[in-house]
Amino acid sequence: MSFVTCDLCDDNADIVSVVTGLNWFGYGGRSTFGGEIVTVKCFEDNSRVKEHLGTDGKGKVLVVDGGGSLRNALIGDMIAENAVKNGWEGVIIHGACRDVDELAKLDIGVMTLGCVPIKSVRRDEGQLNIDITFGGVTFRPGEYVYADNNGVIVARKPFCNALPSKARRPLRRAVSRPRFAKIYSSPGADESQSVVHRIGCNGTSLHGSAAVARRFCVALLKGW
C-alpha cells in the first residue's frame, strides 16, 4: 500500500477526519497501512482483540479504543503473528502494546500510544463493531482508516490511490523490440564473407555465410 496521509488530506480536505491531540508510535513492520475499519472497545482486557484478529482480516484494520491506558498491553507478538496469518492490514490501539522488537519483524502495521511489558488481563470483556471515539474522531465500522508516520485519518469511502499494491491494476511496460537485421556484402567480398549487422545492438555484428545470415534474419523476423 502506497500513500502519504498529508497528500490524502490535501486532496480530500472536505471528506477526511484527522485524529489530533495524540502522540502515535509505529511498532509494526509496515509504517504505512490502511483499510476498512473494524472496531473493539475494551479496557486493559484484550479478549476481543485476540478473538477478532484470529479471523479473516484481508483489507481491514482493527481499531481499538483501550481508553488510552498504558498500564497493560493489548497486543503482543503472538497475537500480531496470528493477525498476519489472517491477512490483517494493521492495528491501531488507543492504548499500549508490547514485544516491540518482534512486532517490527512482522508484515503488519501496529500503531499505539506506547509500549509496556505487562500483558493484558483476561476477563472476556469488550465490545465489537461499535462506534468508538478518540482524538476527536469517531471510527465507524465499514468506513476507512489510513495511517503512516504523519498520523491517522478517517474517510467514509476508500481512496483509489491508497489501495493495496496487489489490488492495483499493473502498469503496462513499454517493451523494446530489436530492429530489423540488415544484410549486405562487404566491399570486394564474395558471398561467404557476407556480414550480418543487427542494427541497435551496441554495434554487434555477426559474421558467417549467407545461409547462416538468412537463417538469422528469418529467426529474428519471426521473433518480431
Side-chain angles (χ1 to χ4, degrees):
M1 179 170 287
S2 177
F3 63 84
V4 178
T5 53
C6 301
D7 295 338
L8 293 180
C9 288
D10 291 348
D11 296 339
N12 307 277
D14 56 335
I15 61 172
V16 300
S17 299
V18 182
V19 178
T20 58
L22 298 174
N23 189 22
W24 295 107
F25 294 90
Y27 294 104
R30 295 185 187 179
S31 60
T32 301
F33 63 96
E36 183 181 348
I37 295 172
V38 177
T39 65
V40 165
K41 185 177 180 65
C42 60
F43 187 75
E44 298 179 355
D45 179 349
N46 69 354
S47 299
R48 298 287 85 80
V49 175
K50 179 181 180 181
E51 174 185 285
H52 212 63
L53 289 178
T55 64
D56 179 38
K58 188 175 296 184
K60 299 178 182 179
V61 175
L62 186 66
V63 182
V64 182
D65 182 4
S69 174
L70 299 177
R71 298 190 303 183
N72 297 84
L74 296 180
I75 192 172
D77 59 341
M78 290 188 289
I79 293 178
E81 285 177 3
N82 202 26
V84 172
K85 292 177 183 177
N86 286 292
W88 287 85
E89 299 291 333
V91 183
I92 298 172
I93 299 179
H94 185 225
C97 66
R98 69 175 192 167
D99 300 313
V100 296
D101 294 326
E102 296 305 313
L103 293 181
K105 302 174 185 178
L106 301 177
D107 186 22
I108 190 171
V110 178
M111 190 169 283
T112 73
L113 298 181
C115 58
V116 65
I118 304 173
K119 68 179 181 179
S120 163
V121 297
R122 292 279 175 80
R123 296 185 296 264
D124 197 33
E125 296 177 353
Q127 297 168 280
L128 177 66
N129 274 335
I130 63 170
D131 291 359
I132 59 176
T133 302
F134 54 81
V137 171
T138 297
F139 296 81
R140 298 179 176 86
E143 293 188 351
Y144 292 82
V145 63
Y146 300 94
D148 64 6
N149 291 329
N150 296 291
V152 178
I153 66 174
V154 172
R156 292 186 177 182
K157 296 181 179 180
F159 296 120
C160 61
N161 58 337
L163 290 173
S165 55
K166 59 186 177 182
R168 292 182 178 181
R169 189 173 181 178
L171 296 175
R172 295 185 61 186
R173 291 185 177 181
V175 179
S176 59
R177 297 182 181 272
R179 302 183 214 175
F180 289 106
K182 181 179 179 181
I183 305 175
Y184 62 90
S185 295
S186 299
D190 58 21
E191 188 181 43
S192 64
Q193 294 177 312
S194 293
V195 179
V196 177
H197 282 265
R198 186 177 177 185
I199 308 303
C201 191
N202 300 322
T204 301
S205 60
L206 301 177
H207 299 269
S209 67
V212 171
R214 283 194 296 272
R215 287 198 297 270
F216 171 78
C217 288
V218 170
L220 181 63
L221 292 175
K222 285 184 176 179
W224 179 272

